[in-house]
Amino acid sequence: MYHPYFRGKQFELLTIREMAEVLAQKKFVPIIEPVKESLGGLNKALRAVCDKNGRAIAIVNPYHGAHRADASVVSDLLKDGYLENPAISAGILLREDMTVEDAIACYDRHRTHHPVFIHHGFVYPKDLAAEIAGGMPAMTNIFVEDQDKILYRKHFAGGKRILVKDGFTSRRNADYPEVEEFSDLHVTFRDRGMDGFGDFLTVGDVYREGGGPAYAVAIHITFIDPERDGVMYIYHFVSDDQTTPTDPAGKFAQALRKLIHKLDSGTSRILETSAIKEFRDLHAKGHFPGLGYVKKLSMKHHIETLADYFD
């Protein structure tokens, strides 16, 4: 049903490992695009998913990161560790620079890895659909879109279809509003003729190799508003200090105080997840765990909020 799209950085992979049981219980299927040269973290994440009887999709031709030019090591990882395990699928990422021949060749190389197509900018849907109809089994097609492409998706009506949209609008931390709409896809995906949905969690689709100096620190927290048809919104709790790249711990404390104040107001509609309990503990202890850890808690809360919605 829910397909969260992760880039395979350290804290994204840690999130998958720590949430593996929840993901499996709810039949949520993470999509992982490996971007780091070392695949040790990816392997641990996939193992954690398998240990909890879950499922995951590992992209074998990543567009971003260290393996864009040559992703053979990703294919080797699936071949050596997961060839006989249907829980792990090879994701074939279809971008605008690929031809139909490229797509079919990648499919053929991973035919035994339970492949799925992930459409993200591909421009030959009709021709690819004809090739699929000509001999491929019905397969899962995942559509990553920033706008509805109904005509594109109609070409792949024969198999399982998942729609992924980025609900997170990337800005400078200092420029985030207090709250804004995130997504209604968890409510509307069936109305769109989809079998499931996904997003880029509270990170977004914009890929950056490394973070810059923290002139402002922001904590991003999603919530579902039952009085607005169950639409998901996102709070951005931003530090007051924004003029220098120093003191990220102090800036985190400022942002965290705003989160706690909103929680204690009784009007936030934020679900009291295990991640929120960790935020409360950090506030009580006055501890700064690092910005990567903060991002991980935000992603965990997002997954737990959707898990509760589909309870």
Side-chain angles (χ1 to χ4, degrees):
M1 182 192 302
Y2 176 47
H3 289 62
Y5 194 118
F6 293 87
R7 299 263 157 62
K9 293 184 178 180
Q10 177 186 3
F11 284 99
E12 282 87 338
L13 296 173
L14 283 173
T15 301
I16 295 170
R17 288 168 59 184
E18 293 180 13
M19 297 300 295
E21 185 169 2
V22 172
L23 293 168
Q25 287 176 349
K26 295 299 178 181
K27 301 188 185 306
F28 292 172
V29 182
I31 304 166
I32 310 168
E33 183 178 356
V35 297
K36 292 299 183 182
E37 184 173 0
S38 173
L39 297 181
L42 172 63
N43 191 37
K44 289 179 181 178
L46 296 179
R47 287 293 175 198
V49 168
C50 292
D51 289 344
K52 298 300 182 181
N53 298 314
R55 292 183 54 233
I57 298 167
I59 293 175
V60 294
N61 59 329
Y63 183 75
H64 296 289
H67 303 290
R68 177 172 179 173
D70 181 6
S72 58
V73 291
V74 182
S75 299
D76 291 343
L77 174 65
L78 295 190
K79 180 180 178 181
D80 295 340
Y82 302 94
L83 184 61
E84 304 300 326
N85 192 338
I88 305 301
S89 295
I92 300 171
L93 187 59
L94 305 180
R95 301 289 303 213
E96 65 276 4
D97 56 350
M98 291 183 69
T99 66
V100 173
E101 291 73 20
D102 294 333
I104 298 303
C106 194
Y107 173 89
D108 287 338
R109 286 195 299 272
H110 299 91
R111 187 182 293 269
T112 56
H113 297 159
H114 323 286
V116 303
F117 281 139
I118 302 171
H119 305 253
H120 196 348
F122 190 67
V123 295
Y124 303 107
K126 184 177 180 179
D127 295 334
L128 179 60
E131 288 288 340
I132 293 174
M136 291 185 187
M139 60 188 298
T140 297
N141 286 275
I142 299 172
F143 308 98
V144 182
E145 300 178 357
D146 54 7
Q147 297 178 346
D148 273 339
K149 296 182 178 179
I150 298 172
L151 289 177
Y152 184 109
R153 299 196 300 263
K154 283 180 68 175
H155 292 292
F156 303 94
K160 187 175 180 181
R161 300 190 301 169
I162 311 297
L163 182 58
V164 176
K165 287 182 174 289
D166 183 8
F168 187 85
T169 302
S170 294
R171 304 178 175 92
R172 292 189 316 152
N173 282 347
D175 294 337
Y176 283 109
E178 180 181 353
V179 64
E180 61 185 326
E181 185 172 327
F182 184 87
S183 177
D184 65 2
L185 202 52
H186 58 290
V187 181
T188 63
F189 72 91
R190 292 188 181 91
D191 297 322
R192 300 169 188 250
M194 297 293 106
D195 300 290
F197 72 100
D199 56 38
F200 289 84
L201 299 99
T202 52
V203 178
D205 187 20
V206 175
Y207 176 75
R208 297 182 180 89
E209 195 63 46
Y215 280 83
V217 168
I219 303 172
H220 310 289
I221 300 294
T222 49
F223 69 98
I224 291 173
D225 192 340
E227 294 186 359
R228 297 186 181 182
D229 297 318
V231 173
M232 177 173 277
Y233 292 82
I234 184 166
Y235 286 114
H236 307 288
F237 299 101
V238 182
S239 63
D240 295 317
D241 293 343
Q242 304 175 3
T243 56
T244 70
T246 60
D247 193 22
K251 293 172 184 175
F252 169 69
Q254 293 172 0
L256 183 57
R257 279 196 296 270
K258 293 181 179 181
L259 167 58
I260 299 302
H261 178 75
K262 178 62 72 173
L263 288 167
D264 291 345
S265 72
T267 62
S268 71
R269 302 196 183 280
I270 297 173
L271 186 68
E272 288 278 346
T273 61
S274 68
I276 292 298
K277 291 183 174 67
E278 283 199 62
F279 276 121
R280 288 191 178 278
D281 288 343
L282 291 171
H283 180 256
K285 296 173 182 176
H287 177 61
F288 173 52
L291 295 178
Y293 194 93
V294 174
K295 182 171 73 171
K296 183 188 72 169
L297 287 183
S298 178
M299 289 187 288
K300 287 179 63 175
H301 170 77
H302 183 71
I303 294 169
E304 289 180 294
T305 296
L306 284 169
D308 180 80
Y309 179 81
F310 290 105
D311 212 354

